[in-house]
Amino acid sequence: MPHTRTPVITGWFTGEGDGFRLLGTRCSSCASVFFPREDVHCRNPHCAGGTLEETPLSRTGRVWSYTDTRYRPPSPYVSDTELPWEPYALIAVELAAERIVVLGQAVPGITVADLAVGMEVEAVEGVLHGVGETETTATWNWRPTRATS
């Protein structure tokens, strides 16, 4: 039976393996970049507005801040309340080229003890949750590259 991989939010990322990229939008007038993507109007208050064009974001960035989750978030977060809550690390990553910070979970197995501000991380495919062995809800995770600052 084929495996179905459904993005948690359509249009926020694309590709697989080394081709995995988060997708943002860039204003053609002021060059501001947005993630989550903006498809209606430029959010820069100093811009009269331009066409918003989809743009792949940098694959790597540096840890700007991080924390861990010790409790199950309230709705609309989707999780199976029948299963025990598994804490995870949450990382804010600065993408220097885009001049933005993108939030996301660390890959499974990475804890706050493994992280440091300034550490290089990369965006990789992740699984928000799975249904059996044939269906997963895909997301992105941040994984340390082990490159030195």
Side-chain angles (χ1 to χ4, degrees):
M1 179 172 241
H3 185 87
T4 304
R5 184 175 165 264
T6 306
V8 65
I9 299 177
T10 302
W12 282 23
F13 52 88
T14 188
E16 296 179 17
D18 289 342
F20 183 83
R21 298 293 283 272
L22 293 173
L23 297 173
T25 48
R26 181 183 309 274
C27 175
S28 63
S29 180
C30 69
S32 293
V33 177
F34 305 104
F35 185 87
R37 59 184 300 133
E38 175 60 65
D39 293 312
V40 179
H41 60 85
C42 181
R43 294 190 295 234
N44 178 348
H46 303 291
C47 178
T51 304
L52 296 166
E53 302 163 347
E54 183 174 274
T55 184
L57 302 180
S58 299
R59 185 174 165 115
T60 61
R62 299 221 174 254
V63 174
W64 185 75
S65 185
Y66 58 92
T67 189
D68 60 356
T69 62
R70 291 289 167 187
Y71 64 92
R72 188 183 313 269
S75 184
Y77 185 86
V78 178
S79 67
D80 186 344
T81 56
E82 299 296 316
L83 297 175
W85 176 249
E86 294 289 332
Y88 58 85
L90 193 60
I91 309 175
V93 176
E94 181 178 26
L95 303 179
E98 291 85 358
R99 298 176 52 196
I100 62 173
V101 174
V102 176
L103 196 63
Q105 293 181 13
V107 294
I110 296 295
T111 69
V112 294
D114 303 311
L115 300 171
V117 169
M119 170 187 283
E120 185 178 78
V121 292
E122 63 183 333
V124 296
E125 301 169 81
V127 174
L128 186 60
H129 56 79
V131 179
E133 293 183 20
T134 61
E135 184 179 339
T136 57
T137 301
T139 190
W140 69 94
N141 291 144
W142 293 108
R143 176 177 65 197
T145 64
R146 303 297 181 214
T148 57
S149 307

